[in-house]
Amino acid sequence: MHKPTPISGFPEYSPKQTAHLLSLIAKVNEVFRLHGFSPIDTPVVEREEVLLSKGGDADKELYLLKRRDPNATSEESDLGLRFDLTVPLARYAAMHFNDLPFPFKRSHVGPCFRGERPQEGRFRQFIQADIDVLNVDSIPLQFDIEIPSIIYEALMAIEVTNFRFRISNRKVLTGALLSLQIENTQLVTRVLDKIEKIGRDQVIKTLTEENGLSSDKAEICTQLAEINSSNGSIREQVQKLGLEHDLLSEGLDELDFVLGGLHSRHRDAKEVFTADLSITRGFDYYTGSVFEVAWLDHPSLGTISGGGRYGDLASSFIRKNIPGVGMSLGISRIFSKLVKPEDKTVLPEQFLPVLITRLDRERPNRADEFASILRKRGIAAEVYPLPDKIQKQLKYANRRGSRYVVFDSDSVVKDMVSGEQVGFDPEGWVPG
Amino acid sequence: MHKPTPISGFPEYSPKQTAHLLSLIAKVNEVFRLHGFSPIDTPVVEREEVLLSKGGDADKELYLLKRRDPNATSEESDLGLRFDLTVPLARYAAMHFNDLPFPFKRSHVGPCFRGERPQEGRFRQFIQADIDVLNVDSIPLQFDIEIPSIIYEALMAIEVTNFRFRISNRKVLTGALLSLQIENTQLVTRVLDKIEKIGRDQVIKTLTEENGLSSDKAEICTQLAEINSSNGSIREQVQKLGLEHDLLSEGLDELDFVLGGLHSRHRDAKEVFTADLSITRGFDYYTGSVFEVAWLDHPSLGTISGGGRYGDLASSFIRKNIPGVGMSLGISRIFSKLVKPEDKTVLPEQFLPVLITRLDRERPNRADEFASILRKRGIAAEVYPLPDKIQKQLKYANRRGSRYVVFDSDSVVKDMVSGEQVGFDPEGWVPG
């Protein structure tokens, strides 16, 4: 026998902290519902080939399943745990294509798993809250404004403040690289994505030494990735670099449209939505707008939300063109900064029932009747289990942390905080 | 590229079916809350040694994790997926013992995983909804009435009818076996547990041939397991077998108390609560009352809920005596019979937003303002993304399945079902 220890990267919380977490999730879900998104919930388990279909670093961090029983059939040999909610959505949209009404707006809140090194705000099991809108063949650019707007509202709903949307468009970077006659745009994009982490010198070094770029081109690429709203118009900054390409222009037009739309929708919070060409997002499936949200109060936390537009989400699974726009909110990461350590030892008020004593020996069912009436009115109630002495029953109420105690014997309710006692009518009484 | 196929034992649902499932879970959670149970949510991953701590057949069906990356450190080599919510509760109570206020009433709704052969109502990923009350050193027998009562209410809340609680007490069977001088009570208990599945002849054969019982004793054991309320008083039926033991008497007293309590609480539904000595529950940790719920409409489904009293839940993890009483509701199993196949191709009404057209070119923000006001009032609303032709906008509303369409240009709302059109005031309008 030994006391179990926590498993690194798999956080768990006290009942009060859990109630706090659940209330955040409920608020986020309510914002999603108000905007017409329907929840789905797919299994946490997917086929390995599905999980690997989107490229990126997925394979590195993947958890696969195995049966402990060595005699079990190998049916499960190709199953793993999902690492995000986008890949399952692609698989879901392909598998249920004929049943889904498009445009399909779905929300999904659930656990994901990555075998990465646990560190600040990074967990091995973590909850993501996603919204995506999918359509067949095309989807208006308006949704590139809509989706970040909803995420903005969701963040406001859970009282996260001082955050910044950093917005770019994959076409800008790809178009710029093409105008520089750089062919392996994916590789260069991935290097530029790291500029914030590894710094400009290291980026130039990697681009010249590993990707074979001339130092001139490497310098221009780096300057491109350094462009953001805080230095003035994006378009002008790009033009100064002397780059020209149809895809680049298209990207700049889209970026203007999206940023303009967000600024006009959120006139009081324009500073929240900024352009930043260093943002590319890791996955290969983004083809247009890309979004990241940084929480300025907690810079070391990294991105608390991200997403973008994909030209064709489900191309690995079905011969249908399903473009979409979506974002994902890192609930566990955000909660790691909102959780209150002092909530570790107490129960959540909203789940603490009114305690009804069991003192009336002549009417032994009275306490149960009181409880039943309160519950029908939506008020949580608990009857002390035994006809013990009054002191013992009050001690129990105290240990449970119940604010209100109803005395069944004389129909009185006591507020344990103020000490006030009033007559108790189970049909009419309202907790203060 | 190939269209992914479903993974056997891992069900998933359409948005409307998901909304149905989520509403069941919400109703069950509300019943739990009204009775003073606080939700917790532990990681789905536990250490292998924790998962194996309770005996039973857990090892056979266990899923373990492995990293796909062969270079990953072996940190995760001893992790697996939980197969129920009771073992995680035991571990949680031991690990957070000093932070938990006892008696500790917790609810937990979440996915569990078993590598069993998928069959009717049996899944490899399935949702359980558990309530347990834990205390230090002792816990009143009253809770053996309380817990099944709450599960009864939860089943009523999700409109499951025609079910039966089958109740026994481990002490009855163990006491009876001891009075027959049978020593390996655990082994014999497990054989008797199967009487419904394998039949009385096979039970007698196993008891005599494999467990070395005389045919007289095997016959008495079998008769014991065949005792249930439908043949009259349990006590009299047991007495007829001529068995006597202190533990047996204690068990009969407890069984009387629990059944009597349930009958007096549920006077209109006495037939729901029956005694049945064949019920033992698989796990070794039950020491007193044991409960199972059968859904008479779906006998092939097996047990839809089960649980009981354990003398010491966390003895594998901590030197504290933590007895408890709990039950688990098989949400996925129940839902497999409630889910509506016709809900496969439509969206859930409660998530379908009011569609607001974007027709008013002079006041382009009006549609967005309408939506914003409706959302503030808790009404889901969606604005058509582009200033397209009216036919196109109505087609979209139709495809989405929206019941109400608001015309932004002339402040009118149309009920698409009745065809009725009325003036629209965003501050006052209420969907019918």
Side-chain angles (χ1 to χ4, degrees):
Chain A
M1 190 196 77
H2 66 280
K3 201 167 164 174
T5 48
I7 312 175
S8 168
F10 291 87
E12 75 181 358
Y13 298 106
S14 76
K16 184 155 186 184
Q17 290 167 336
T18 304
H20 184 189
L21 175 58
L22 293 175
S23 79
L24 296 191
I25 292 173
K27 283 174 190 166
V28 167
N29 266 326
E30 176 62 2
V31 170
F32 293 168
R33 183 190 74 80
L34 287 173
H35 286 270
F37 287 75
S38 298
I40 63 167
D41 190 18
T42 62
V44 301
V45 167
E46 295 279 353
R47 292 192 198 283
E48 185 181 358
E49 62 188 37
V50 167
L51 295 170
L52 294 176
S53 63
K54 288 290 161 191
D57 292 333
D59 57 326
K60 288 268 180 295
E61 301 176 338
L62 211 58
Y63 281 118
L64 299 181
L65 297 190
K66 63 176 180 193
R67 284 282 294 279
R68 183 169 188 278
D69 181 358
N71 301 319
T73 56
S74 59
E75 251 180 298
E76 293 93 348
S77 63
D78 69 337
L79 301 182
L81 299 178
R82 65 184 177 207
F83 56 85
D84 74 3
L85 300 176
T86 308
V87 171
L89 173 64
R91 196 262 314 146
Y92 186 91
M95 216 162 95
H96 305 286
F97 183 82
N98 292 323
D99 294 325
L100 294 177
F102 288 95
F104 177 47
K105 294 184 171 186
R106 85 91 180 75
S107 63
H108 191 175
V109 180
C112 300
F113 303 83
R114 286 186 194 196
E116 63 181 341
R117 201 166 58 79
Q119 46 183 306
E120 191 183 353
R122 288 183 186 264
F123 304 108
R124 293 179 162 187
Q125 175 175 340
F126 53 97
I127 300 167
Q128 294 290 112
D130 282 30
I131 42 169
D132 288 83
V133 49
L134 305 182
N135 202 13
V136 183
D137 293 332
S138 74
I139 191 163
L141 199 60
Q142 195 66 30
F143 285 108
D144 298 42
I145 298 166
E146 184 89 15
I147 295 286
S149 273
I150 299 170
I151 294 294
Y152 170 83
E153 276 187 38
L155 285 166
M156 299 299 279
I158 58 175
E159 289 164 47
V160 170
T161 52
N162 203 18
F163 55 84
R164 289 288 175 275
F165 277 74
R166 303 163 75 194
I167 302 172
S168 184
N169 191 302
R170 278 268 181 123
K171 291 174 184 171
V172 173
L173 200 59
T174 307
L177 296 181
L178 290 174
S179 97
L180 288 167
Q181 268 123 7
I182 294 169
E183 279 171 18
N184 46 2
T185 56
Q186 291 273 15
L187 277 178
V188 173
T189 299
R190 278 188 208 166
V191 177
L192 294 175
D193 188 33
K194 293 184 192 146
I195 191 163
E196 211 175 19
K197 209 184 260 174
I198 64 176
R200 80 159 357 238
D201 292 350
Q202 193 59 41
V203 163
I204 287 181
K205 201 173 162 210
T206 310
L207 289 178
T208 51
E209 291 178 11
E210 288 178 28
N211 300 96
L213 262 61
S214 70
S215 32
D216 279 2
K217 286 188 183 177
E219 175 62 31
I220 295 177
C221 288
T222 309
Q223 286 184 19
L224 195 72
E226 287 171 337
I227 290 174
N228 61 58
S229 300
S230 62
N231 304 316
S233 151
I234 302 295
R235 192 180 292 271
E236 280 169 19
Q237 293 180 68
V238 172
Q239 275 164 352
K240 267 187 206 149
L241 296 178
L243 304 170
E244 252 180 69
H245 194 278
D246 284 351
L247 197 63
L248 170 61
S249 310
E250 202 181 312
L252 285 172
D253 289 347
E254 289 186 11
L255 187 55
D256 266 357
F257 177 83
V258 170
L259 220 58
L262 285 166
H263 286 167
S264 104
R265 274 213 195 187
H266 304 277
R267 285 202 192 93
D268 304 331
K270 280 188 185 176
E271 74 288 354
V272 168
F273 301 94
T274 66
D276 186 332
L277 297 194
S278 73
I279 301 304
T280 70
R281 305 296 298 155
F283 287 108
D284 299 345
Y285 47 69
Y286 292 115
T287 52
S289 298
V290 279
F291 313 106
E292 275 190 19
V293 183
W295 195 355
L296 303 187
D297 294 345
H298 305 287
S300 57
L301 207 54
T303 300
I304 56 170
S305 175
R309 163 180 284 255
Y310 22 83
D312 190 357
L313 182 64
S315 56
S316 333
F317 308 127
I318 193 172
R319 277 184 219 288
K320 297 278 178 187
N321 181 231
I322 308 180
V325 193
M327 281 189 84
S328 182
L329 203 53
I331 297 287
S332 294
R333 194 173 287 187
I334 293 169
F335 187 65
S336 73
K337 294 298 173 190
L338 296 179
V339 62
K340 294 178 186 154
E342 68 270 25
D343 285 351
K344 208 175 145 193
T345 57
V346 281
L347 289 172
E349 292 88 4
Q350 66 269 48
F351 287 93
L352 273 181
V354 171
L355 186 94
I356 302 170
T357 60
R358 200 182 284 282
L359 294 165
D360 194 329
R361 288 177 190 236
E362 318 229 312
R363 291 168 294 181
N365 292 327
R366 203 168 187 223
D368 297 307
E369 282 156 19
F370 281 174
S372 172
I373 296 168
L374 287 179
R375 287 182 198 126
K376 272 187 193 122
R377 295 177 53 220
I379 300 169
E382 178 184 19
V383 180
Y384 184 82
L386 299 172
D388 282 334
K389 287 203 177 124
I390 186 166
Q391 290 80 356
K392 214 172 161 190
Q393 301 199 28
L394 288 176
K395 205 174 141 195
Y396 176 96
N398 193 38
R399 218 164 54 226
R400 286 278 284 161
S402 295
R403 164 127 189 220
Y404 297 100
V405 174
V406 169
F407 295 90
D408 61 325
S409 41
D410 45 8
S411 293
V412 152
V413 56
K414 181 171 181 176
D415 181 336
M416 303 302 274
V417 175
S418 69
E420 197 191 5
Q421 236 170 264
V422 294
F424 175 73
D425 163 22
E427 302 281 3
W429 175 76
V430 181
Chain B
M1 189 196 77
H2 66 279
K3 200 165 164 174
T5 48
I7 312 175
S8 168
F10 292 88
E12 74 180 358
Y13 298 107
S14 76
K16 184 156 187 184
Q17 291 167 336
T18 304
H20 184 189
L21 175 58
L22 292 176
S23 79
L24 297 191
I25 291 173
K27 283 174 188 165
V28 167
N29 266 326
E30 177 62 2
V31 171
F32 293 169
R33 183 189 73 79
L34 287 173
H35 286 269
F37 286 75
S38 298
I40 62 167
D41 190 18
T42 62
V44 301
V45 168
E46 295 279 353
R47 293 192 197 282
E48 186 181 358
E49 62 187 36
V50 166
L51 295 170
L52 294 175
S53 64
K54 288 290 160 191
D57 292 334
D59 56 327
K60 287 267 180 295
E61 301 177 337
L62 211 58
Y63 281 118
L64 299 180
L65 297 190
K66 63 176 181 194
R67 284 281 293 279
R68 184 169 187 278
D69 181 358
N71 301 318
T73 55
S74 59
E75 251 180 299
E76 294 93 347
S77 63
D78 68 338
L79 301 182
L81 299 178
R82 66 184 176 206
F83 55 86
D84 75 3
L85 301 176
T86 308
V87 171
L89 173 64
R91 196 264 313 147
Y92 187 91
M95 216 162 95
H96 305 286
F97 183 82
N98 292 322
D99 294 326
L100 294 177
F102 288 96
F104 177 47
K105 294 184 171 186
R106 85 91 180 75
S107 63
H108 191 175
V109 179
C112 301
F113 302 83
R114 287 186 193 195
E116 63 180 340
R117 202 165 59 79
Q119 45 183 308
E120 191 183 352
R122 288 183 185 264
F123 305 109
R124 292 179 163 187
Q125 175 176 339
F126 54 97
I127 299 167
Q128 293 291 111
D130 283 30
I131 42 168
D132 288 83
V133 49
L134 305 183
N135 201 13
V136 183
D137 293 332
S138 74
I139 191 162
L141 199 60
Q142 194 67 30
F143 284 108
D144 297 43
I145 299 166
E146 184 89 16
I147 295 286
S149 273
I150 299 169
I151 293 295
Y152 170 84
E153 276 187 38
L155 285 166
M156 299 298 280
I158 59 175
E159 290 165 46
V160 170
T161 52
N162 203 19
F163 55 84
R164 290 286 176 275
F165 278 73
R166 303 163 74 193
I167 302 172
S168 185
N169 191 301
R170 280 268 181 123
K171 291 175 184 171
V172 173
L173 200 59
T174 307
L177 296 181
L178 289 174
S179 97
L180 288 167
Q181 267 123 8
I182 293 168
E183 278 170 19
N184 46 2
T185 56
Q186 292 272 15
L187 278 177
V188 173
T189 299
R190 279 187 207 165
V191 178
L192 294 175
D193 188 33
K194 293 185 191 145
I195 191 163
E196 210 175 21
K197 209 183 259 172
I198 64 175
R200 79 159 357 239
D201 293 351
Q202 194 58 41
V203 163
I204 287 181
K205 200 173 163 211
T206 311
L207 289 178
T208 51
E209 290 177 13
E210 288 178 29
N211 300 97
L213 263 60
S214 70
S215 32
D216 278 2
K217 285 188 183 178
E219 176 62 32
I220 296 178
C221 287
T222 310
Q223 285 183 19
L224 195 72
E226 286 170 337
I227 290 174
N228 61 58
S229 300
S230 63
N231 304 315
S233 151
I234 301 294
R235 192 180 293 269
E236 280 169 20
Q237 292 180 69
V238 173
Q239 276 165 350
K240 266 186 208 150
L241 295 178
L243 304 171
E244 252 180 69
H245 193 279
D246 284 352
L247 198 62
L248 172 61
S249 310
E250 202 180 311
L252 285 171
D253 289 347
E254 289 187 10
L255 188 55
D256 266 357
F257 177 83
V258 170
L259 221 58
L262 285 165
H263 287 167
S264 103
R265 275 214 195 187
H266 304 276
R267 286 206 190 89
D268 305 331
K270 280 189 185 177
E271 74 289 353
V272 169
F273 301 96
T274 66
D276 187 331
L277 297 195
S278 73
I279 300 304
T280 71
R281 303 298 297 156
F283 286 109
D284 299 344
Y285 48 68
Y286 292 115
T287 53
S289 299
V290 279
F291 313 105
E292 276 190 20
V293 183
W295 195 355
L296 303 187
D297 294 346
H298 305 286
S300 57
L301 208 54
T303 300
I304 57 170
S305 175
R309 163 179 284 255
Y310 23 82
D312 189 358
L313 183 64
S315 57
S316 333
F317 307 126
I318 192 173
R319 277 184 219 289
K320 298 278 178 187
N321 181 232
I322 308 180
V325 192
M327 280 189 85
S328 181
L329 204 53
I331 298 288
S332 294
R333 193 173 287 187
I334 293 168
F335 187 65
S336 73
K337 294 299 173 189
L338 296 179
V339 63
K340 295 179 186 153
E342 69 268 25
D343 285 351
K344 207 175 144 192
T345 57
V346 279
L347 288 174
E349 292 89 4
Q350 65 270 46
F351 287 93
L352 273 182
V354 172
L355 186 95
I356 303 170
T357 61
R358 200 182 285 282
L359 295 165
D360 194 330
R361 286 175 191 239
E362 316 229 315
R363 290 167 294 181
N365 292 326
R366 203 166 187 223
D368 297 307
E369 281 156 21
F370 281 176
S372 171
I373 295 168
L374 287 178
R375 287 182 199 127
K376 273 188 192 122
R377 295 178 51 219
I379 300 168
E382 177 184 20
V383 181
Y384 183 82
L386 300 171
D388 281 335
K389 286 200 178 129
I390 185 166
Q391 289 80 356
K392 215 171 159 190
Q393 302 200 27
L394 287 176
K395 206 174 141 195
Y396 177 96
N398 192 39
R399 219 165 51 225
R400 284 279 286 162
S402 295
R403 165 128 187 219
Y404 297 100
V405 175
V406 169
F407 295 90
D408 61 324
S409 42
D410 45 9
S411 291
V412 152
V413 57
K414 182 172 181 175
D415 180 335
M416 304 301 275
V417 175
S418 68
E420 196 192 7
Q421 236 171 263
V422 293
F424 176 72
D425 163 21
E427 302 280 3
W429 175 75
V430 180

